[in-house]
Amino acid sequence: MNAEIIAVGSELLLGQIVNSNAQFISKNLADIGVNVYYHTVAGDNANRLASVVQNAKTRSDLLIFTGGLGPTKDDLTKETIAAVFQKELVHDELSLQYIKNYFVQSNRQMTPNNEKQALIIKDSIVFPNENGMAPGMAFTDEGITCILLPGPPSEMKPMFQKFVVPYLESKSGAKTKLYSRVLKFFGIGESTLETELQDLIEKQSNPTIAPLASEHEVTIRLTAAHSDQKEAENLLDETEAKIVSKTSSYFYGYDLDTLERCLIDSLLQKKATIASAESLTGGLFSKVITDIPGASSIFKGGAVVYSNELKQTLLHVPVSLLKQHGAVSKECAEWMAEKIRTLTDADYGISFTGVAGPDKQEEKQAGTVYIGISNESETISFPLQLAGTRNAIRERTVKYGFFFMNQMIKKGQ
Amino acid sequence: MNAEIIAVGSELLLGQIVNSNAQFISKNLADIGVNVYYHTVAGDNANRLASVVQNAKTRSDLLIFTGGLGPTKDDLTKETIAAVFQKELVHDELSLQYIKNYFVQSNRQMTPNNEKQALIIKDSIVFPNENGMAPGMAFTDEGITCILLPGPPSEMKPMFQKFVVPYLESKSGAKTKLYSRVLKFFGIGESTLETELQDLIEKQSNPTIAPLASEHEVTIRLTAAHSDQKEAENLLDETEAKIVSKTSSYFYGYDLDTLERCLIDSLLQKKATIASAESLTGGLFSKVITDIPGASSIFKGGAVVYSNELKQTLLHVPVSLLKQHGAVSKECAEWMAEKIRTLTDADYGISFTGVAGPDKQEEKQAGTVYIGISNESETISFPLQLAGTRNAIRERTVKYGFFFMNQMIKKGQ
């Protein structure tokens, strides 16, 4: 099946929101071996949308639509697709009941325009919306399968995973499937990694090797095509081994692994805890670690000592240290890491101090950063000189923090 | 000019990255009155890309391409467009020199594949890349203007703003321009707001009124078309006044205003400071406030007291309070807010305690949240019952924190 993802909504064409739905659907289709050849975005305009659908029919056999199923007048996806495929819209009693209940449960009055959401294209399979009101639907006509999904990601994503993936898997009779594995690297640039692996990338066709820089990390996606899953896994294993042998100090995980997930897992395994003292990162480290449910078993909390005053009040950094070395210093980082560890009785303390920019501080350039790490036996620090915007510097600083902590724990410390 | 934005890159179709370039370009084109009717994404495949270009030529007169200008074999945007428009590729000496310098400056060896980046489509205007290597370019042929830009957002965005916007403005002879204004609301749902404004939305055509829910807020984009900027502003002012008169308690700002930006501005104006004590939000409040350069003038820092243990150690929350009311309580929120204020000698203290989920805590449902606010004269709290995922609950909690603080300061407290 060759798929095209068609998002409908003028808010996308006005740049008010980003088309994250297309990314999500693409990623999930790749995982089940469906090729995506095009993404298209059209606005809330029936004529232009109709011509997009006509064009898509000539080049793709699976059309996945997001958006335009809502209650308002500019929601016209169903109406337009029904017209192109010359199909009727019919009321779906179950969906209407569901919508009515939704209003009752959230204790709100149902306005009449909401009834439009219970209209479906005749002969469709209906996908219930467990996180909103507009149901999704799918039908096949003229050899082309159309899937219509709501626009809000919080409704579309769970519907896709629960209903659309099984629907597509049951439809697809394909023998050769694609199996992907993502290798994750930190601390190395994309072009350096690609040059390092030049030979492999040129020689390899199955699996394919696709490096990609994203969010201060580099990933390599290996994709093997095979009718047998085990054989595909073998192909992936072989190529992975070759890659990792050349890049082992930067390689840290797979697929959904993140630097923070890896840290949480190894701390859980060691039954150890961590606390943080943050200056330039202003709480970003603790925010990222507590994004993950269950972080409370390993993360005690910490101090955000954004001002020098708070470095003294909360972490008792001596005035003499601040005077002699400054807050942006190896000495201050180490003090902060050790102090937060002992104050909170954690096994590890980590600290971040530096200049996020754009302005200099203590005569030090933006991007000057010190990360301190402390455990019972030692307290060390890592100086960094980072480039980029304020946000990039803060984000990379935190990633380096996770990376250094992971390395320390890996070494058994 | 009717524009189409065409992104090239298999990483987009595999869902490895999101097409944030299309959003950025759309937003900037809307601001200078260029209509965007389509976004398209094609992979690194010459045939499919060529057919996308052919199709775009039939429906749009400005084609903006992103991606595929790099040094590797799968970068084929220039080659494909040149073929479709039957134009040659030529070496651009200045760009080549620039690329060579780039390697010298970053102290790296230039690999030969990088020379390909200095190829441009004949008769193009070249846009220098001040943040990377591949130059951008523009040419007009058969009445169609093509603009080619690099894919990495850190290179594309500055190039777009510095070179492409002036280029387009000089090309466009249009008299009627679009003027937009975004009104921002918090604490009200999109459908309620729309119902509230039903009459206005139906009657109004210039400016148009487009509500949109995004990131736990609702925005309304007003767009007026007029040949005279002042007249357009008058149209916008009139409609804004009508809208705000009906929704004043939720309206908080314009365009680039954010809840946090508004708080920082009013604290700066009052020369007041704030400190935070965060439990369920785990540092998110302090992260968001320190995202903004200059936050250090008003934000002292705070405590991330994720564990009950730290609530006691760092904020001296009495065991009896925790036993009697629990950490997720009005009492704990108020204690935390007051304590962080006095400990840090700030003018305002704000606290967040609650259940982020997915699991219950202290027998309280996920989404049970208390926000405490303290100043010299009083300490109060706000109970919330929020729905959604863990991240949604954390994000909305922090937004409510900014919202309540803004309201308090507005009232002169």
Side-chain angles (χ1 to χ4, degrees):
Chain A
M1 273 192 287
N2 295 332
E4 173 158 358
I5 300 169
I6 301 172
V8 186
S10 297
E11 64 274 22
L12 288 157
L13 297 180
L14 285 164
Q16 293 182 292
I17 57 170
V18 69
N19 190 5
S20 60
N21 284 342
Q23 179 187 22
F24 176 87
I25 294 172
S26 296
K27 201 167 183 333
N28 279 276
L29 290 179
D31 290 344
I32 58 170
V34 175
N35 295 319
V36 177
Y37 284 152
Y38 307 95
H39 293 174
T40 307
V41 179
D44 303 322
N45 173 292
N47 290 336
R48 285 193 289 271
L49 178 58
S51 82
V52 160
V53 180
Q54 292 288 7
N55 187 35
K57 279 175 68 181
T58 67
R59 63 187 185 186
S60 308
D61 44 23
L62 171 61
L63 315 187
I64 301 185
F65 296 85
T66 58
L69 304 185
T72 64
K73 297 209 174 65
D74 61 0
D75 291 308
L76 40 73
T77 303
K78 283 184 295 203
E79 292 75 0
T80 308
I81 296 171
V84 171
F85 283 88
Q86 296 180 300
K87 283 176 150 289
E88 274 177 69
L89 289 174
V90 294
H91 254 98
D92 185 55
E93 207 33 62
L94 215 64
S95 299
L96 185 61
Q97 204 45 57
Y98 195 86
I99 292 166
K100 286 180 175 164
N101 282 345
Y102 189 90
F103 276 93
V104 171
Q105 273 171 21
S106 52
N107 208 8
R108 289 156 54 204
Q109 192 69 34
M110 176 165 161
T111 47
N113 55 1
N114 285 290
E115 282 185 24
K116 177 159 116 63
Q117 296 187 99
L119 283 175
I120 62 156
I121 293 173
K122 205 177 169 186
D123 305 323
S124 290
I125 290 169
V126 174
F127 305 130
N129 188 338
E130 298 181 346
N131 298 278
M133 287 182 281
M137 66 200 79
F139 68 89
T140 301
D141 195 77
E142 308 173 33
I144 295 179
T145 297
C146 289
I147 297 178
L148 285 69
L149 302 172
S154 58
E155 301 174 22
M156 187 282 290
K157 290 178 177 180
M159 185 185 289
F160 193 89
Q161 285 179 316
K162 187 159 176 187
F163 300 110
V164 180
V165 169
Y167 169 80
L168 288 173
E169 283 180 331
S170 77
K171 271 192 94 73
S172 132
K175 291 220 177 91
T176 300
K177 288 196 174 175
L178 295 178
Y179 297 88
S180 276
R181 180 181 302 172
V182 173
L183 311 182
K184 307 194 85 170
F185 299 83
F186 184 77
I188 184 171
E190 183 189 9
S191 66
T192 317
L193 188 69
E194 188 169 331
T195 305
E196 199 74 39
L197 303 175
Q198 191 74 24
D199 272 16
L200 273 174
I201 293 176
E202 280 179 5
K203 281 186 203 143
Q204 205 76 26
S205 66
N206 191 18
T208 55
I209 302 175
L212 180 72
S214 70
E215 294 180 40
H216 320 299
E217 301 190 16
V218 185
T219 61
I220 293 182
R221 177 179 280 259
L222 307 180
T223 308
H226 209 286
S227 56
D228 181 74
Q229 179 166 4
K230 213 172 156 195
E231 289 297 319
E233 297 290 344
N234 286 343
L235 290 172
L236 294 172
D237 287 345
E238 275 171 35
T239 305
E240 177 190 327
K242 285 181 201 158
I243 291 173
V244 172
S245 74
K246 292 182 172 206
T247 54
S248 61
S249 52
Y250 308 104
F251 171 66
Y252 78 81
Y254 300 96
D255 298 293
L256 298 178
D257 284 349
T258 56
L259 289 163
E260 58 270 24
R261 182 78 257 178
C262 291
L263 177 61
I264 291 183
D265 287 345
S266 32
L267 289 174
L268 280 173
Q269 217 170 3
K270 277 178 84 102
K271 295 196 198 324
T273 57
I274 188 167
S276 57
E278 304 189 57
S279 180
L280 87 153
T281 51
L284 181 58
F285 177 87
S286 62
K287 183 265 173 197
V288 169
I289 206 164
T290 59
D291 276 343
I292 299 176
S296 55
S297 326
I298 59 95
F299 181 65
K300 293 208 166 191
V304 178
V305 288
Y306 207 60
S307 59
N308 274 1
E309 191 188 333
L310 249 65
K311 288 183 184 73
Q312 296 168 46
T313 343
L314 290 186
L315 297 180
H316 317 129
V317 180
V319 184
S320 59
L321 186 157
L322 292 173
K323 269 201 182 143
Q324 198 182 339
H325 304 286
V328 179
S329 66
K330 166 188 167 63
E331 289 76 11
C332 188
E334 293 181 3
W335 180 285
M336 286 165 57
E338 187 168 349
K339 199 56 164 187
I340 196 68
R341 176 178 67 78
T342 54
L343 268 180
T344 61
D345 197 27
D347 298 300
Y348 293 93
I350 186 165
S351 72
F352 303 90
T353 183
V355 189
D359 299 328
K360 279 188 183 183
Q361 196 184 313
E362 299 178 350
E363 299 297 306
K364 285 151 194 157
Q365 295 288 351
T368 309
V369 170
Y370 295 88
I371 296 179
I373 292 183
S374 174
N375 65 15
E376 212 182 350
S377 56
E378 63 173 340
T379 297
I380 55 176
S381 61
F382 301 86
L384 294 172
Q385 191 60 52
L386 304 175
T389 62
R390 178 180 175 86
N391 274 341
I393 287 170
R394 282 155 52 97
E395 283 166 12
R396 290 179 62 199
T397 296
V398 164
K399 288 200 181 247
Y400 268 106
F402 284 112
F403 186 67
F404 292 141
M405 270 302 311
N406 284 335
Q407 286 194 318
M408 193 162 182
I409 294 178
K410 240 192 210 165
K411 284 189 209 136
Q413 283 170 313
Chain B
M1 273 192 288
N2 294 332
E4 173 158 358
I5 301 168
I6 301 172
V8 186
S10 297
E11 64 275 21
L12 288 157
L13 298 180
L14 285 164
Q16 294 182 292
I17 57 170
V18 70
N19 191 4
S20 60
N21 284 342
Q23 179 188 22
F24 176 86
I25 294 172
S26 296
K27 201 167 182 337
N28 280 276
L29 290 179
D31 290 344
I32 58 170
V34 175
N35 295 319
V36 177
Y37 285 154
Y38 306 96
H39 293 173
T40 307
V41 179
D44 303 322
N45 173 292
N47 290 335
R48 284 192 289 272
L49 178 56
S51 82
V52 160
V53 180
Q54 292 288 8
N55 187 35
K57 279 175 67 182
T58 67
R59 62 187 185 187
S60 309
D61 44 24
L62 170 61
L63 315 187
I64 301 185
F65 296 86
T66 58
L69 304 185
T72 65
K73 297 207 174 64
D74 59 4
D75 291 307
L76 39 74
T77 303
K78 284 184 293 203
E79 293 75 359
T80 308
I81 296 171
V84 170
F85 283 86
Q86 296 180 298
K87 284 179 149 288
E88 273 176 72
L89 289 173
V90 294
H91 253 98
D92 184 55
E93 206 34 59
L94 217 63
S95 299
L96 185 60
Q97 204 46 55
Y98 195 87
I99 292 165
K100 285 180 177 165
N101 283 345
Y102 189 90
F103 276 93
V104 171
Q105 274 171 19
S106 52
N107 208 8
R108 289 156 53 205
Q109 192 69 36
M110 176 165 160
T111 49
N113 54 1
N114 283 292
E115 284 184 23
K116 176 158 118 59
Q117 297 187 98
L119 283 175
I120 62 155
I121 294 174
K122 206 178 168 184
D123 306 322
S124 290
I125 289 171
V126 175
F127 304 131
N129 188 337
E130 298 181 347
N131 297 278
M133 288 181 280
M137 67 200 78
F139 67 89
T140 302
D141 196 77
E142 308 173 31
I144 296 180
T145 297
C146 289
I147 297 179
L148 285 69
L149 302 171
S154 58
E155 302 174 21
M156 188 282 289
K157 290 179 179 181
M159 185 185 289
F160 193 88
Q161 284 177 318
K162 186 158 177 187
F163 300 110
V164 179
V165 169
Y167 169 80
L168 288 173
E169 282 181 330
S170 76
K171 270 193 96 69
S172 130
K175 290 222 176 91
T176 300
K177 289 196 175 177
L178 295 178
Y179 297 88
S180 276
R181 179 181 302 173
V182 173
L183 310 181
K184 308 193 84 170
F185 300 84
F186 183 78
I188 184 171
E190 183 189 9
S191 66
T192 317
L193 188 68
E194 189 168 328
T195 305
E196 200 73 41
L197 303 175
Q198 191 75 22
D199 272 15
L200 274 175
I201 292 176
E202 280 180 6
K203 281 186 203 142
Q204 204 77 26
S205 66
N206 191 19
T208 56
I209 302 175
L212 180 72
S214 70
E215 294 180 41
H216 320 301
E217 301 190 15
V218 184
T219 62
I220 293 183
R221 176 179 281 259
L222 307 180
T223 308
H226 209 285
S227 55
D228 181 73
Q229 179 165 4
K230 216 174 153 195
E231 289 297 319
E233 298 290 344
N234 286 344
L235 290 172
L236 294 172
D237 287 346
E238 276 171 35
T239 305
E240 177 190 326
K242 284 181 202 159
I243 290 173
V244 171
S245 75
K246 292 182 171 208
T247 54
S248 62
S249 53
Y250 308 105
F251 171 66
Y252 79 83
Y254 299 96
D255 297 293
L256 298 178
D257 284 349
T258 57
L259 288 163
E260 58 269 23
R261 181 79 255 177
C262 291
L263 177 61
I264 291 182
D265 287 346
S266 31
L267 289 173
L268 281 173
Q269 218 170 2
K270 277 178 83 99
K271 294 196 200 320
T273 57
I274 188 169
S276 56
E278 303 189 58
S279 180
L280 87 153
T281 50
L284 181 58
F285 176 87
S286 61
K287 183 263 173 197
V288 170
I289 207 164
T290 59
D291 276 344
I292 299 176
S296 55
S297 327
I298 59 96
F299 181 64
K300 293 210 165 190
V304 178
V305 288
Y306 207 61
S307 59
N308 273 1
E309 190 189 334
L310 249 64
K311 288 183 184 74
Q312 296 169 48
T313 344
L314 290 186
L315 297 179
H316 317 129
V317 180
V319 185
S320 60
L321 187 158
L322 293 173
K323 269 201 182 143
Q324 198 184 338
H325 304 286
V328 180
S329 66
K330 166 187 167 62
E331 289 75 12
C332 189
E334 293 181 4
W335 181 285
M336 285 165 58
E338 186 169 351
K339 199 56 162 186
I340 197 68
R341 176 177 67 79
T342 54
L343 268 181
T344 61
D345 197 27
D347 299 300
Y348 293 94
I350 186 164
S351 72
F352 303 90
T353 183
V355 189
D359 299 329
K360 279 188 182 181
Q361 197 184 312
E362 300 177 349
E363 300 296 307
K364 284 151 195 157
Q365 295 289 350
T368 309
V369 170
Y370 295 87
I371 296 178
I373 292 184
S374 175
N375 65 13
E376 211 180 351
S377 57
E378 62 172 341
T379 298
I380 54 176
S381 60
F382 302 85
L384 294 171
Q385 191 59 55
L386 304 174
T389 62
R390 177 180 176 85
N391 274 341
I393 288 169
R394 282 154 52 97
E395 284 166 12
R396 289 179 64 199
T397 296
V398 165
K399 288 200 181 243
Y400 268 105
F402 285 112
F403 186 66
F404 292 141
M405 271 302 311
N406 284 335
Q407 286 195 317
M408 194 163 181
I409 294 177
K410 241 192 212 165
K411 284 188 209 136
Q413 286 170 310

